[in-house]
Amino acid sequence: MTAECLCGGIRIEISGKVGPIVYCHCSQCRKANGTAFSANADVRSKYWRVMAGADLIREFESSPGAWRAFCSRCGSPIYGRRASAPDVFRLRLGILNDDPERRSLAHFWVGSKAPWYEISDDLPQFAHGTEEHADEIAVKFRLR
């Protein structure tokens, strides 16, 4: 699977499956992406390879221990990463060239979603993030 930024300067190859797709409605994702929510999926670093444009990637520490990466030429959001999970990139799905062959699991942080956006699908909705709803998610999706 391949991914690239809007200008094509950053090109990424993903050799393994992406993790579950989630929609995040938090205010930081909205501001970073300029949309009502972001579509993300985790990718383990062993499956992630920057084919071109590593020099164009810039990171911004949006909160302590959390970075958001973007293309310094076109501004495309590329990934997020956390110090607490150093072997995982949170891929911004808008840069994918291929179908990840997964569909979204749920909407998160709907407690801070944009008031002008109405969620109109039947996916589960969680007021906060995955950490705050870990037990509820495990039961709902039979993860435990």
Side-chain angles (χ1 to χ4, degrees):
M1 185 168 15
T2 62
E4 63 186 20
C5 65
L6 179 62
C7 71
I10 298 171
R11 290 193 327 265
I12 296 165
E13 180 182 72
I14 299 161
S15 59
K17 282 195 161 216
V18 301
I21 294 173
V22 299
Y23 297 143
C24 182
H25 294 266
C26 79
S27 62
Q28 286 192 3
C29 280
R30 290 197 325 269
K31 289 178 182 186
N33 291 286
T35 61
F37 56 89
S38 66
N40 309 307
D42 287 350
V43 178
R44 293 196 177 278
S45 59
K46 68 182 180 181
Y47 301 128
W48 179 279
R49 189 169 77 148
V50 178
M51 305 291 290
D55 59 319
L56 294 173
I57 297 173
R58 297 294 180 273
E59 291 187 339
F60 168 69
E61 191 171 7
S62 56
S63 56
W67 294 268
R68 294 169 181 274
F70 60 94
C71 175
S72 62
R73 186 184 300 153
C74 67
S76 292
I78 306 297
Y79 63 82
R81 67 179 183 86
R82 295 187 172 276
S84 61
D87 66 331
V88 175
F89 291 96
R90 180 156 289 170
L91 174 67
R92 304 310 186 215
L93 294 179
I95 67 168
L96 281 178
N97 295 321
D98 307 294
D99 184 347
E101 298 180 5
R102 287 188 167 233
R103 297 301 175 253
S104 184
L105 185 69
H107 293 271
F108 290 93
W109 289 104
V110 297
S112 64
K113 78 172 192 60
W116 46 264
Y117 179 76
E118 182 178 331
I119 298 172
S120 57
D121 60 42
D122 294 329
L123 292 173
Q125 296 181 26
F126 298 94
H128 301 289
T130 55
E131 295 82 17
E132 293 85 354
H133 293 286
D135 292 336
E136 186 180 354
I137 292 167
V139 169
K140 186 169 209 61
F141 299 108
R142 298 180 187 154
L143 300 175
R144 291 187 188 155

mmCIF file of all heavy atoms in Angstrom, residues 12-60:
data_model
loop_
_atom_site.group_PDB
_atom_site.id
_atom_site.type_symbol
_atom_site.label_atom_id
_atom_site.label_comp_id
_atom_site.label_asym_id
_atom_site.label_seq_id
_atom_site.Cartn_x
_atom_site.Cartn_y
_atom_site.Cartn_z
ATOM 1 N N ILE A 12 5.250 7.223 0.973
ATOM 2 C CA ILE A 12 5.375 6.217 2.027
ATOM 3 C C ILE A 12 4.873 4.885 1.499
ATOM 4 O O ILE A 12 3.881 4.833 0.759
ATOM 5 C CB ILE A 12 4.576 6.650 3.276
ATOM 6 C CG1 ILE A 12 5.178 7.927 3.849
ATOM 7 C CG2 ILE A 12 4.531 5.546 4.324
ATOM 8 C CD1 ILE A 12 4.318 8.632 4.833
ATOM 9 N N GLU A 13 5.545 3.827 1.909
ATOM 10 C CA GLU A 13 5.108 2.473 1.600
ATOM 11 C C GLU A 13 4.740 1.786 2.916
ATOM 12 O O GLU A 13 5.499 1.851 3.879
ATOM 13 C CB GLU A 13 6.219 1.689 0.905
ATOM 14 C CG GLU A 13 5.824 0.277 0.550
ATOM 15 C CD GLU A 13 6.961 -0.479 -0.101
ATOM 16 O OE1 GLU A 13 7.916 -0.830 0.614
ATOM 17 O OE2 GLU A 13 6.891 -0.676 -1.324
ATOM 18 N N ILE A 14 3.577 1.140 2.933
ATOM 19 C CA ILE A 14 3.109 0.405 4.103
ATOM 20 C C ILE A 14 3.014 -1.053 3.687
ATOM 21 O O ILE A 14 2.228 -1.409 2.809
ATOM 22 C CB ILE A 14 1.759 0.952 4.593
ATOM 23 C CG1 ILE A 14 1.914 2.423 4.985
ATOM 24 C CG2 ILE A 14 1.220 0.123 5.747
ATOM 25 C CD1 ILE A 14 0.643 3.190 5.044
ATOM 26 N N SER A 15 3.826 -1.900 4.324
ATOM 27 C CA SER A 15 3.912 -3.296 3.890
ATOM 28 C C SER A 15 3.040 -4.255 4.701
ATOM 29 O O SER A 15 2.904 -5.413 4.334
ATOM 30 C CB SER A 15 5.368 -3.765 3.946
ATOM 31 O OG SER A 15 5.875 -3.654 5.261
ATOM 32 N N GLY A 16 2.431 -3.777 5.780
ATOM 33 C CA GLY A 16 1.559 -4.621 6.593
ATOM 34 C C GLY A 16 0.168 -4.026 6.672
ATOM 35 O O GLY A 16 -0.109 -2.965 6.110
ATOM 36 N N LYS A 17 -0.707 -4.718 7.375
ATOM 37 C CA LYS A 17 -2.069 -4.207 7.567
ATOM 38 C C LYS A 17 -2.061 -3.001 8.495
ATOM 39 O O LYS A 17 -1.289 -2.948 9.445
ATOM 40 C CB LYS A 17 -2.968 -5.283 8.167
ATOM 41 C CG LYS A 17 -3.428 -6.284 7.168
ATOM 42 C CD LYS A 17 -4.596 -7.074 7.737
ATOM 43 C CE LYS A 17 -5.315 -7.722 6.588
ATOM 44 N NZ LYS A 17 -6.714 -7.777 6.745
ATOM 45 N N VAL A 18 -2.966 -2.089 8.220
ATOM 46 C CA VAL A 18 -3.158 -0.967 9.137
ATOM 47 C C VAL A 18 -4.060 -1.433 10.268
ATOM 48 O O VAL A 18 -4.834 -2.379 10.116
ATOM 49 C CB VAL A 18 -3.752 0.274 8.430
ATOM 50 C CG1 VAL A 18 -2.848 0.744 7.306
ATOM 51 C CG2 VAL A 18 -5.157 0.029 7.928
ATOM 52 N N GLY A 19 -3.963 -0.756 11.406
ATOM 53 C CA GLY A 19 -4.817 -1.073 12.545
ATOM 54 C C GLY A 19 -6.246 -0.621 12.287
ATOM 55 O O GLY A 19 -6.573 -0.128 11.203
ATOM 56 N N PRO A 20 -7.103 -0.755 13.276
ATOM 57 C CA PRO A 20 -8.496 -0.317 13.119
ATOM 58 C C PRO A 20 -8.572 1.162 12.742
ATOM 59 O O PRO A 20 -7.797 1.977 13.236
ATOM 60 C CB PRO A 20 -9.105 -0.544 14.506
ATOM 61 C CG PRO A 20 -8.233 -1.576 15.134
ATOM 62 C CD PRO A 20 -6.851 -1.328 14.592
ATOM 63 N N ILE A 21 -9.489 1.478 11.871
ATOM 64 C CA ILE A 21 -9.711 2.862 11.458
ATOM 65 C C ILE A 21 -10.657 3.517 12.452
ATOM 66 O O ILE A 21 -11.681 2.938 12.815
ATOM 67 C CB ILE A 21 -10.302 2.923 10.040
ATOM 68 C CG1 ILE A 21 -9.270 2.413 9.034
ATOM 69 C CG2 ILE A 21 -10.759 4.330 9.695
ATOM 70 C CD1 ILE A 21 -9.798 2.267 7.626
ATOM 71 N N VAL A 22 -10.302 4.708 12.880
ATOM 72 C CA VAL A 22 -11.153 5.464 13.781
ATOM 73 C C VAL A 22 -11.290 6.897 13.284
ATOM 74 O O VAL A 22 -10.396 7.419 12.631
ATOM 75 C CB VAL A 22 -10.634 5.458 15.240
ATOM 76 C CG1 VAL A 22 -10.590 4.050 15.791
ATOM 77 C CG2 VAL A 22 -9.287 6.116 15.358
ATOM 78 N N TYR A 23 -12.417 7.491 13.591
ATOM 79 C CA TYR A 23 -12.656 8.901 13.306
ATOM 80 C C TYR A 23 -12.508 9.659 14.612
ATOM 81 O O TYR A 23 -13.171 9.339 15.604
ATOM 82 C CB TYR A 23 -14.057 9.117 12.753
ATOM 83 C CG TYR A 23 -14.323 8.428 11.429
ATOM 84 C CD1 TYR A 23 -15.569 7.882 11.172
ATOM 85 C CD2 TYR A 23 -13.341 8.320 10.441
ATOM 86 C CE1 TYR A 23 -15.843 7.260 9.968
ATOM 87 C CE2 TYR A 23 -13.601 7.698 9.238
ATOM 88 C CZ TYR A 23 -14.856 7.175 8.997
ATOM 89 O OH TYR A 23 -15.129 6.550 7.814
ATOM 90 N N CYS A 24 -11.643 10.661 14.615
ATOM 91 C CA CYS A 24 -11.419 11.461 15.818
ATOM 92 C C CYS A 24 -11.985 12.861 15.621
ATOM 93 O O CYS A 24 -11.638 13.552 14.662
ATOM 94 C CB CYS A 24 -9.919 11.541 16.137
ATOM 95 S SG CYS A 24 -9.606 12.470 17.652
ATOM 96 N N HIS A 25 -12.842 13.269 16.539
ATOM 97 C CA HIS A 25 -13.515 14.563 16.468
ATOM 98 C C HIS A 25 -12.937 15.579 17.450
ATOM 99 O O HIS A 25 -13.543 16.631 17.663
ATOM 100 C CB HIS A 25 -15.015 14.382 16.757
ATOM 101 C CG HIS A 25 -15.729 13.591 15.720
ATOM 102 N ND1 HIS A 25 -16.390 14.175 14.666
ATOM 103 C CD2 HIS A 25 -15.861 12.246 15.555
ATOM 104 C CE1 HIS A 25 -16.928 13.229 13.910
ATOM 105 N NE2 HIS A 25 -16.618 12.049 14.431
ATOM 106 N N CYS A 26 -11.788 15.303 18.061
ATOM 107 C CA CYS A 26 -11.229 16.244 19.038
ATOM 108 C C CYS A 26 -10.841 17.555 18.358
ATOM 109 O O CYS A 26 -10.607 17.602 17.143
ATOM 110 C CB CYS A 26 -10.029 15.635 19.773
ATOM 111 S SG CYS A 26 -8.481 15.646 18.852
ATOM 112 N N SER A 27 -10.780 18.621 19.130
ATOM 113 C CA SER A 27 -10.489 19.934 18.561
ATOM 114 C C SER A 27 -9.100 19.994 17.937
ATOM 115 O O SER A 27 -8.901 20.676 16.933
ATOM 116 C CB SER A 27 -10.648 21.022 19.626
ATOM 117 O OG SER A 27 -9.730 20.816 20.679
ATOM 118 N N GLN A 28 -8.132 19.260 18.468
ATOM 119 C CA GLN A 28 -6.797 19.276 17.880
ATOM 120 C C GLN A 28 -6.797 18.628 16.495
ATOM 121 O O GLN A 28 -6.178 19.139 15.568
ATOM 122 C CB GLN A 28 -5.798 18.589 18.795
ATOM 123 C CG GLN A 28 -5.440 19.434 19.993
ATOM 124 C CD GLN A 28 -4.239 18.875 20.738
ATOM 125 O OE1 GLN A 28 -3.627 17.891 20.349
ATOM 126 N NE2 GLN A 28 -3.911 19.517 21.834
ATOM 127 N N CYS A 29 -7.475 17.507 16.339
ATOM 128 C CA CYS A 29 -7.555 16.861 15.019
ATOM 129 C C CYS A 29 -8.294 17.757 14.025
ATOM 130 O O CYS A 29 -7.902 17.852 12.861
ATOM 131 C CB CYS A 29 -8.223 15.493 15.110
ATOM 132 S SG CYS A 29 -7.101 14.200 15.678
ATOM 133 N N ARG A 30 -9.363 18.393 14.473
ATOM 134 C CA ARG A 30 -10.092 19.296 13.573
ATOM 135 C C ARG A 30 -9.184 20.418 13.093
ATOM 136 O O ARG A 30 -9.130 20.724 11.902
ATOM 137 C CB ARG A 30 -11.321 19.873 14.275
ATOM 138 C CG ARG A 30 -12.419 18.863 14.510
ATOM 139 C CD ARG A 30 -13.768 19.496 14.822
ATOM 140 N NE ARG A 30 -13.712 20.710 15.595
ATOM 141 C CZ ARG A 30 -13.767 20.775 16.936
ATOM 142 N NH1 ARG A 30 -13.869 19.662 17.643
ATOM 143 N NH2 ARG A 30 -13.740 21.924 17.550
ATOM 144 N N LYS A 31 -8.456 21.017 14.013
ATOM 145 C CA LYS A 31 -7.577 22.133 13.630
ATOM 146 C C LYS A 31 -6.408 21.672 12.774
ATOM 147 O O LYS A 31 -6.026 22.352 11.817
ATOM 148 C CB LYS A 31 -7.075 22.848 14.879
ATOM 149 C CG LYS A 31 -8.181 23.624 15.561
ATOM 150 C CD LYS A 31 -7.707 24.293 16.820
ATOM 151 C CE LYS A 31 -8.890 25.005 17.466
ATOM 152 N NZ LYS A 31 -8.496 25.808 18.617
ATOM 153 N N ALA A 32 -5.830 20.531 13.085
ATOM 154 C CA ALA A 32 -4.680 20.026 12.334
ATOM 155 C C ALA A 32 -5.060 19.614 10.913
ATOM 156 O O ALA A 32 -4.231 19.687 10.006
ATOM 157 C CB ALA A 32 -4.043 18.844 13.061
ATOM 158 N N ASN A 33 -6.313 19.175 10.723
ATOM 159 C CA ASN A 33 -6.736 18.684 9.420
ATOM 160 C C ASN A 33 -7.663 19.643 8.675
ATOM 161 O O ASN A 33 -7.929 19.436 7.496
ATOM 162 C CB ASN A 33 -7.432 17.327 9.577
ATOM 163 C CG ASN A 33 -6.448 16.261 9.989
ATOM 164 O OD1 ASN A 33 -5.661 15.814 9.184
ATOM 165 N ND2 ASN A 33 -6.473 15.876 11.251
ATOM 166 N N GLY A 34 -8.184 20.657 9.357
ATOM 167 C CA GLY A 34 -9.071 21.611 8.706
ATOM 168 C C GLY A 34 -10.408 21.010 8.307
ATOM 169 O O GLY A 34 -11.056 21.470 7.377
ATOM 170 N N THR A 35 -10.826 19.959 9.032
ATOM 171 C CA THR A 35 -12.073 19.265 8.717
ATOM 172 C C THR A 35 -12.831 18.958 10.005
ATOM 173 O O THR A 35 -12.336 19.228 11.096
ATOM 174 C CB THR A 35 -11.793 17.938 7.988
ATOM 175 O OG1 THR A 35 -11.019 17.099 8.847
ATOM 176 C CG2 THR A 35 -11.056 18.155 6.683
ATOM 177 N N ALA A 36 -14.004 18.361 9.862
ATOM 178 C CA ALA A 36 -14.828 18.050 11.029
ATOM 179 C C ALA A 36 -14.223 16.959 11.902
ATOM 180 O O ALA A 36 -14.505 16.890 13.092
ATOM 181 C CB ALA A 36 -16.227 17.626 10.586
ATOM 182 N N PHE A 37 -13.414 16.084 11.313
ATOM 183 C CA PHE A 37 -12.770 15.008 12.069
ATOM 184 C C PHE A 37 -11.599 14.484 11.249
ATOM 185 O O PHE A 37 -11.466 14.794 10.063
ATOM 186 C CB PHE A 37 -13.753 13.867 12.380
ATOM 187 C CG PHE A 37 -14.415 13.264 11.177
ATOM 188 C CD1 PHE A 37 -13.837 12.194 10.503
ATOM 189 C CD2 PHE A 37 -15.622 13.760 10.705
ATOM 190 C CE1 PHE A 37 -14.438 11.630 9.393
ATOM 191 C CE2 PHE A 37 -16.244 13.202 9.608
ATOM 192 C CZ PHE A 37 -15.649 12.136 8.943
ATOM 193 N N SER A 38 -10.765 13.677 11.876
ATOM 194 C CA SER A 38 -9.687 13.027 11.130
ATOM 195 C C SER A 38 -9.949 11.526 11.076
ATOM 196 O O SER A 38 -10.546 10.960 11.987
ATOM 197 C CB SER A 38 -8.322 13.312 11.763
ATOM 198 O OG SER A 38 -8.221 12.723 13.037
ATOM 199 N N ALA A 39 -9.514 10.917 9.990
ATOM 200 C CA ALA A 39 -9.604 9.470 9.813
ATOM 201 C C ALA A 39 -8.192 8.923 9.990
ATOM 202 O O ALA A 39 -7.281 9.295 9.251
ATOM 203 C CB ALA A 39 -10.152 9.137 8.435
ATOM 204 N N ASN A 40 -8.014 8.052 10.976
ATOM 205 C CA ASN A 40 -6.687 7.572 11.354
ATOM 206 C C ASN A 40 -6.667 6.059 11.486
ATOM 207 O O ASN A 40 -7.675 5.446 11.797
ATOM 208 C CB ASN A 40 -6.287 8.147 12.725
ATOM 209 C CG ASN A 40 -6.441 9.634 12.814
ATOM 210 O OD1 ASN A 40 -5.923 10.360 11.994
ATOM 211 N ND2 ASN A 40 -7.157 10.099 13.824
ATOM 212 N N ALA A 41 -5.463 5.500 11.306
ATOM 213 C CA ALA A 41 -5.238 4.086 11.577
ATOM 214 C C ALA A 41 -3.786 3.923 11.992
ATOM 215 O O ALA A 41 -2.893 4.541 11.422
ATOM 216 C CB ALA A 41 -5.535 3.225 10.358
ATOM 217 N N ASP A 42 -3.565 3.095 12.998
ATOM 218 C CA ASP A 42 -2.203 2.840 13.462
ATOM 219 C C ASP A 42 -1.473 1.913 12.492
ATOM 220 O O ASP A 42 -2.062 0.985 11.941
ATOM 221 C CB ASP A 42 -2.221 2.199 14.848
ATOM 222 C CG ASP A 42 -2.611 3.186 15.943
ATOM 223 O OD1 ASP A 42 -2.681 4.397 15.665
ATOM 224 O OD2 ASP A 42 -2.851 2.729 17.067
ATOM 225 N N VAL A 43 -0.168 2.203 12.325
ATOM 226 C CA VAL A 43 0.717 1.369 11.520
ATOM 227 C C VAL A 43 1.984 1.155 12.333
ATOM 228 O O VAL A 43 2.594 2.120 12.800
ATOM 229 C CB VAL A 43 1.075 2.039 10.171
ATOM 230 C CG1 VAL A 43 2.049 1.167 9.380
ATOM 231 C CG2 VAL A 43 -0.170 2.341 9.359
ATOM 232 N N ARG A 44 2.376 -0.073 12.519
ATOM 233 C CA ARG A 44 3.618 -0.376 13.240
ATOM 234 C C ARG A 44 4.807 0.082 12.403
ATOM 235 O O ARG A 44 4.809 -0.058 11.178
ATOM 236 C CB ARG A 44 3.721 -1.853 13.541
ATOM 237 C CG ARG A 44 2.676 -2.317 14.527
ATOM 238 C CD ARG A 44 3.038 -3.675 15.104
ATOM 239 N NE ARG A 44 2.077 -4.075 16.094
ATOM 240 C CZ ARG A 44 2.091 -3.674 17.365
ATOM 241 N NH1 ARG A 44 3.023 -2.867 17.779
ATOM 242 N NH2 ARG A 44 1.174 -4.105 18.210
ATOM 243 N N SER A 45 5.810 0.617 13.067
ATOM 244 C CA SER A 45 6.969 1.179 12.370
ATOM 245 C C SER A 45 7.676 0.158 11.484
ATOM 246 O O SER A 45 8.244 0.527 10.457
ATOM 247 C CB SER A 45 7.947 1.808 13.359
ATOM 248 O OG SER A 45 8.396 0.853 14.290
ATOM 249 N N LYS A 46 7.614 -1.122 11.834
ATOM 250 C CA LYS A 46 8.271 -2.142 11.011
ATOM 251 C C LYS A 46 7.603 -2.295 9.642
ATOM 252 O O LYS A 46 8.203 -2.835 8.718
ATOM 253 C CB LYS A 46 8.341 -3.484 11.733
ATOM 254 C CG LYS A 46 7.012 -4.167 11.959
ATOM 255 C CD LYS A 46 7.210 -5.467 12.723
ATOM 256 C CE LYS A 46 5.907 -6.189 12.971
ATOM 257 N NZ LYS A 46 6.121 -7.428 13.725
ATOM 258 N N TYR A 47 6.356 -1.808 9.494
ATOM 259 C CA TYR A 47 5.643 -1.863 8.227
ATOM 260 C C TYR A 47 5.670 -0.528 7.477
ATOM 261 O O TYR A 47 5.040 -0.389 6.439
ATOM 262 C CB TYR A 47 4.178 -2.271 8.434
ATOM 263 C CG TYR A 47 4.013 -3.603 9.094
ATOM 264 C CD1 TYR A 47 3.194 -3.735 10.215
ATOM 265 C CD2 TYR A 47 4.651 -4.744 8.613
ATOM 266 C CE1 TYR A 47 3.032 -4.962 10.831
ATOM 267 C CE2 TYR A 47 4.492 -5.976 9.224
ATOM 268 C CZ TYR A 47 3.682 -6.068 10.337
ATOM 269 O OH TYR A 47 3.522 -7.288 10.944
ATOM 270 N N TRP A 48 6.363 0.460 8.008
ATOM 271 C CA TRP A 48 6.336 1.842 7.526
ATOM 272 C C TRP A 48 7.690 2.187 6.920
ATOM 273 O O TRP A 48 8.724 2.050 7.564
ATOM 274 C CB TRP A 48 6.046 2.736 8.732
ATOM 275 C CG TRP A 48 6.003 4.196 8.491
ATOM 276 C CD1 TRP A 48 7.065 5.051 8.405
ATOM 277 C CD2 TRP A 48 4.839 5.000 8.362
ATOM 278 N NE1 TRP A 48 6.632 6.320 8.229
ATOM 279 C CE2 TRP A 48 5.260 6.321 8.196
ATOM 280 C CE3 TRP A 48 3.479 4.715 8.382
ATOM 281 C CZ2 TRP A 48 4.377 7.380 8.047
ATOM 282 C CZ3 TRP A 48 2.601 5.758 8.234
ATOM 283 C CH2 TRP A 48 3.041 7.071 8.068
ATOM 284 N N ARG A 49 7.697 2.657 5.669
ATOM 285 C CA ARG A 49 8.950 3.067 5.049
ATOM 286 C C ARG A 49 8.736 4.344 4.246
ATOM 287 O O ARG A 49 7.863 4.388 3.369
ATOM 288 C CB ARG A 49 9.480 1.965 4.134
ATOM 289 C CG ARG A 49 10.896 2.250 3.643
ATOM 290 C CD ARG A 49 11.454 1.048 2.974
ATOM 291 N NE ARG A 49 10.859 0.939 1.648
ATOM 292 C CZ ARG A 49 11.478 0.432 0.598
ATOM 293 N NH1 ARG A 49 12.681 -0.064 0.709
ATOM 294 N NH2 ARG A 49 10.879 0.385 -0.567
ATOM 295 N N VAL A 50 9.515 5.358 4.543
ATOM 296 C CA VAL A 50 9.475 6.603 3.772
ATOM 297 C C VAL A 50 10.328 6.383 2.531
ATOM 298 O O VAL A 50 11.544 6.184 2.637
ATOM 299 C CB VAL A 50 9.967 7.806 4.600
ATOM 300 C CG1 VAL A 50 9.968 9.069 3.746
ATOM 301 C CG2 VAL A 50 9.104 8.006 5.840
ATOM 302 N N MET A 51 9.683 6.385 1.381
ATOM 303 C CA MET A 51 10.364 6.135 0.105
ATOM 304 C C MET A 51 11.020 7.401 -0.443
ATOM 305 O O MET A 51 12.034 7.327 -1.118
ATOM 306 C CB MET A 51 9.365 5.608 -0.927
ATOM 307 C CG MET A 51 8.606 4.373 -0.486
ATOM 308 S SD MET A 51 9.645 2.933 -0.378
ATOM 309 C CE MET A 51 9.954 2.661 -2.104
ATOM 310 N N ALA A 52 10.403 8.552 -0.163
ATOM 311 C CA ALA A 52 10.922 9.836 -0.640
ATOM 312 C C ALA A 52 10.383 10.937 0.260
ATOM 313 O O ALA A 52 9.292 10.823 0.819
ATOM 314 C CB ALA A 52 10.490 10.080 -2.080
ATOM 315 N N GLY A 53 11.149 12.000 0.381
ATOM 316 C CA GLY A 53 10.677 13.189 1.072
ATOM 317 C C GLY A 53 10.850 13.224 2.578
ATOM 318 O O GLY A 53 10.221 14.055 3.234
ATOM 319 N N ALA A 54 11.698 12.384 3.130
ATOM 320 C CA ALA A 54 11.908 12.421 4.585
ATOM 321 C C ALA A 54 12.324 13.821 5.033
ATOM 322 O O ALA A 54 11.950 14.265 6.122
ATOM 323 C CB ALA A 54 12.950 11.392 5.000
ATOM 324 N N ASP A 55 13.044 14.532 4.182
ATOM 325 C CA ASP A 55 13.495 15.883 4.507
ATOM 326 C C ASP A 55 12.359 16.903 4.507
ATOM 327 O O ASP A 55 12.516 18.008 5.035
ATOM 328 C CB ASP A 55 14.597 16.323 3.543
ATOM 329 C CG ASP A 55 14.151 16.306 2.086
ATOM 330 O OD1 ASP A 55 13.438 15.345 1.686
ATOM 331 O OD2 ASP A 55 14.487 17.236 1.339
ATOM 332 N N LEU A 56 11.204 16.542 3.941
ATOM 333 C CA LEU A 56 10.047 17.445 3.916
ATOM 334 C C LEU A 56 9.150 17.282 5.135
ATOM 335 O O LEU A 56 8.279 18.117 5.377
ATOM 336 C CB LEU A 56 9.212 17.196 2.651
ATOM 337 C CG LEU A 56 9.883 17.531 1.321
ATOM 338 C CD1 LEU A 56 9.000 17.077 0.160
ATOM 339 C CD2 LEU A 56 10.182 19.018 1.232
ATOM 340 N N ILE A 57 9.339 16.208 5.876
ATOM 341 C CA ILE A 57 8.482 15.944 7.032
ATOM 342 C C ILE A 57 8.877 16.850 8.184
ATOM 343 O O ILE A 57 10.039 16.923 8.568
ATOM 344 C CB ILE A 57 8.563 14.464 7.471
ATOM 345 C CG1 ILE A 57 8.052 13.556 6.354
ATOM 346 C CG2 ILE A 57 7.758 14.239 8.756
ATOM 347 C CD1 ILE A 57 8.249 12.068 6.617
ATOM 348 N N ARG A 58 7.900 17.552 8.722
ATOM 349 C CA ARG A 58 8.088 18.386 9.908
ATOM 350 C C ARG A 58 7.128 17.892 10.975
ATOM 351 O O ARG A 58 6.010 17.491 10.670
ATOM 352 C CB ARG A 58 7.800 19.862 9.621
ATOM 353 C CG ARG A 58 8.710 20.508 8.616
ATOM 354 C CD ARG A 58 10.149 20.610 9.130
ATOM 355 N NE ARG A 58 11.025 21.231 8.176
ATOM 356 C CZ ARG A 58 11.667 20.601 7.206
ATOM 357 N NH1 ARG A 58 11.509 19.299 7.047
ATOM 358 N NH2 ARG A 58 12.448 21.248 6.375
ATOM 359 N N GLU A 59 7.567 17.949 12.225
ATOM 360 C CA GLU A 59 6.724 17.525 13.337
ATOM 361 C C GLU A 59 6.473 18.700 14.277
ATOM 362 O O GLU A 59 7.354 19.530 14.485
ATOM 363 C CB GLU A 59 7.382 16.390 14.117
ATOM 364 C CG GLU A 59 7.456 15.102 13.346
ATOM 365 C CD GLU A 59 7.950 13.937 14.177
ATOM 366 O OE1 GLU A 59 8.612 14.162 15.214
ATOM 367 O OE2 GLU A 59 7.659 12.796 13.801
ATOM 368 N N PHE A 60 5.275 18.723 14.815
ATOM 369 C CA PHE A 60 4.869 19.727 15.788
ATOM 370 C C PHE A 60 4.406 18.994 17.042
ATOM 371 O O PHE A 60 3.559 18.098 16.949
ATOM 372 C CB PHE A 60 3.725 20.571 15.205
ATOM 373 C CG PHE A 60 3.042 21.451 16.218
ATOM 374 C CD1 PHE A 60 3.697 22.542 16.776
ATOM 375 C CD2 PHE A 60 1.746 21.181 16.616
ATOM 376 C CE1 PHE A 60 3.069 23.344 17.713
ATOM 377 C CE2 PHE A 60 1.101 21.978 17.554
ATOM 378 C CZ PHE A 60 1.779 23.061 18.103
#
